[in-house]
Amino acid sequence: SLGTGGDMDRIVIATDGSKPAREAVELGLELAAEHEATPIFVHVIPEIDVMPTSGLGISIPPAVVHEPTDEDRAPLEDALALAAEHGIAARSQLLSGSPAAQIVAYADSVGADLIVVGSRGHGRITGAVLGSVSHGVLAQTRRPVLVVRAARSAVEAGVGT
């Protein structure tokens, strides 16, 4: 249960730069401010880049280790900038591999009190379908998870822009 006081120290907030992720970042920051917790943004990138293989029988390694790019770091930079605007000291970590598994393992490693993820779920019934990452996180962790749907009304989302 989300108690008040010093119960929540670390909130892991997953972001990939998408609109649902931005909603998760904003809500995670609000919670961090409220509970005086440290928000830690995480973004998961692929471990390997799959290369197109040549049809000429020339052996090209089918996959190479993915080296992080500025583009990979952008979602974390954006989230950190947003935290700074709110005067909140945040941390960030770039992870690589399977998104849900990496988010859960990282949350365990830092002793997160809460994991916040955005959902890209496209269910016709509101909230019926979760995005695969949020679903995976829920399935793999025993920590509290807050799934944020990017469904705030335009009026609410338009404030302060």
Side-chain angles (χ1 to χ4, degrees), residues 31-93:
L31 283 170
E34 206 175 300
H35 294 271
E36 296 179 0
T38 301
I40 309 170
F41 302 114
V42 295
H43 174 47
V44 186
I45 58 171
E47 231 165 342
I48 53 175
D49 287 323
V50 177
M51 294 298 182
T53 50
S54 151
L56 304 170
I58 303 162
S59 64
I60 300 169
V64 295
V65 173
H66 178 90
E67 293 296 337
T69 63
D70 287 344
E71 202 178 319
D72 290 330
R73 294 188 186 90
L76 294 177
E77 297 297 332
D78 291 349
L80 288 170
L82 197 62
E85 276 174 37
H86 290 283
I88 299 168
R91 291 162 41 195
S92 70
Q93 183 69 45

Side-chain angles (χ1 to χ4, degrees), residues 104 113-117 134 137-139 141-147:
V104 168
D113 298 295
L114 179 68
I115 301 172
V116 182
V117 287
S134 49
V137 169
L138 282 166
T141 189
R142 301 183 62 158
R143 296 179 184 279
V145 179
L146 178 63
V147 178

